[in-house]
Amino acid sequence: MKVLVPVKRVIDYNVKVRVKADQSGVDLANLKMSMNPFDEIAVEAAVKMKESGKATEVVIVSVGPAQALDTIRTALAMGGDRGILVKVEGPVEPLAVAKLLKAICDEEKPGLVLTGKQAIDSDANQTGQMLAALLGWGQGTFAHSLELSDGTIKVAREIDGGLQTVSLKLPAVVTTDLRLNQPRYASLPNIMKAKKKPVAEKSPGDLGVDVTPRCKVLKVAEPAKRAGGVKVKTVAELVDKLVEAGVVT
């Protein structure tokens, strides 16, 4: 079974994000970029499937600028077999990404698509669900654990207050949550080997997809700074403070 894993290049989660002075977006100048953490978990899950003999090939896909090739190489160093880079400059909305992935799935015919539940830059949590809808495949989101068997995959999903287990017929789309696994570190020998693994480059035009944004960002602003708290001695004083602040009437 072939497993397709989409990965996204995002600002490293340890980096403090800065807003541009004109509030037109996030300042990416001289910032460390890395693979979306949820996508790292998806790569790890796919590689484990291959190591256990349940998958035959792990294909890594990324949609983004030329620098996204580094993200693909990282996933290949973790154990992916080959990569596909869809080169796009500028932001790409989730629906456009889903359409691009759908076109790639039509070409590659994977038995399973594993992707992170969301990207930490946009936090949209949409691409996996949209891809499943476009393909007409079953979907298992927020995967806490996975169990593959002949022609099906059992997904334990993280939901409010517990877990929900669903069984999907393959092919299917599964999005991964934080507690599914702990991604491995790519060793130096594997990083060197990844440089020789094949990566195909495509454009949205090659796949017949229009990636023109449908939404326009009007303004990006940092969250308001939290005001300092105050201590009160009695419940009555607390109520008075809340009334003054307009929290209660």
Side-chain angles (χ1 to χ4, degrees):
M1 180 185 70
K2 182 188 297 184
V3 181
L4 191 78
V5 186
V7 298
K8 186 177 183 182
R9 178 177 181 264
V10 299
I11 299 174
D12 189 89
Y13 68 92
N14 290 311
V15 173
K16 179 175 174 57
V17 176
R18 302 186 303 270
V19 175
K20 292 180 180 179
D22 62 0
Q23 295 188 316
S24 61
V26 174
D27 187 1
L28 301 179
N30 302 317
L31 288 185
K32 180 184 178 183
M33 308 293 284
S34 61
M35 189 191 311
N36 179 47
F38 291 101
D39 297 341
E40 284 186 318
I41 293 169
V43 173
E44 177 68 22
V47 171
K48 283 183 176 179
M49 288 179 184
K50 184 185 175 185
E51 291 173 342
S52 66
K54 295 178 180 178
T56 55
E57 185 181 28
V58 177
V59 181
I60 308 299
V61 182
S62 189
V63 177
Q67 295 90 327
L69 177 60
D70 295 337
T71 307
I72 293 176
R73 293 292 183 196
T74 300
L76 295 178
M78 291 174 65
D81 295 295
R82 59 186 174 91
I84 300 173
L85 171 60
V86 183
K87 292 181 70 173
V88 182
E89 296 297 334
V92 189
E93 294 174 352
L95 180 58
V97 175
K99 289 179 178 179
L100 291 169
L101 293 176
K102 195 264 185 185
I104 291 174
C105 286
D106 290 341
E107 292 181 357
E108 294 288 335
K109 302 291 191 296
L112 179 65
V113 175
L114 275 176
T115 187
K117 70 170 185 176
Q118 65 195 76
I120 62 171
D121 53 0
S122 61
D123 275 334
N125 182 23
Q126 295 174 342
T127 303
Q129 293 90 326
M130 288 177 170
L131 176 59
L134 291 172
L135 290 168
W137 294 359
Q139 59 176 292
T141 54
F142 319 129
H144 176 275
S145 65
L146 302 173
E147 183 181 337
L148 269 174
S149 56
D150 292 338
T152 62
I153 183 169
K154 190 177 291 185
V155 182
R157 303 178 58 243
E158 293 197 22
I159 60 174
D160 292 341
L163 298 174
Q164 177 192 58
T165 302
V166 296
S167 180
L168 310 171
K169 290 183 179 180
L170 297 177
V173 177
V174 174
T175 70
T176 59
D177 215 326
L178 282 176
R179 282 158 285 277
L180 179 60
N181 58 49
Q182 180 64 44
R184 69 191 69 187
Y185 288 101
S187 64
L188 182 58
N190 286 337
I191 292 173
M192 300 306 293
K193 291 177 183 177
K195 294 181 179 180
K196 298 181 180 179
K197 292 182 179 180
V199 178
E201 290 191 5
K202 297 179 181 290
S203 69
D206 296 335
L207 300 171
V209 177
D210 179 11
V211 296
T212 303
R214 298 169 182 238
C215 297
K216 180 180 179 181
V217 175
L218 301 180
K219 185 175 72 170
V220 177
E222 294 185 4
K225 293 184 178 180
R226 297 180 63 180
V230 295
K231 292 183 178 181
V232 295
K233 295 180 179 180
T234 64
V235 174
E237 187 180 354
L238 171 62
V239 173
D240 292 338
K241 292 286 186 182
L242 292 175
V243 171
E244 289 176 10
V247 178
V248 297
T249 56

